[in-house]
Amino acid sequence: DFTGQFPSEIGQLTALTYLDLGPTDFTGQFPSEIGQLTALGYLDLNQVHFTERLPSEIGQLTALKRLYLDS
């Protein structure tokens, strides 16, 4: 399990196509830099327990084909 703040440097991984974060206990807000991952096609946030809402920048993931959100 990962805990603590999720690093904003995630936005530097612009060629990333697959991201599976569950299950984790991150605190705070998911970084808005997620919107820079324009190649991301799969995002699994199943059982990820952020304490804030997902940022609106998640709507910039134009290549996203699969998004999993479950508690």
Side-chain angles (χ1 to χ4, degrees), residues 33-51:
E33 288 82 2
I34 188 75
Q36 298 171 13
L37 304 181
T38 54
L40 194 65
Y42 179 97
L43 178 58
D44 188 341
L45 299 175
N46 185 32
Q47 296 185 17
V48 176
H49 303 112
F50 284 103
T51 56

Side-chain angles (χ1 to χ4, degrees), residues 1-23:
D1 280 352
F2 291 106
T3 60
Q5 291 280 93
F6 195 85
S8 62
E9 289 81 9
I10 187 76
Q12 297 175 10
L13 303 174
T14 57
L16 191 67
T17 60
Y18 184 100
L19 183 58
D20 185 344
L21 295 176

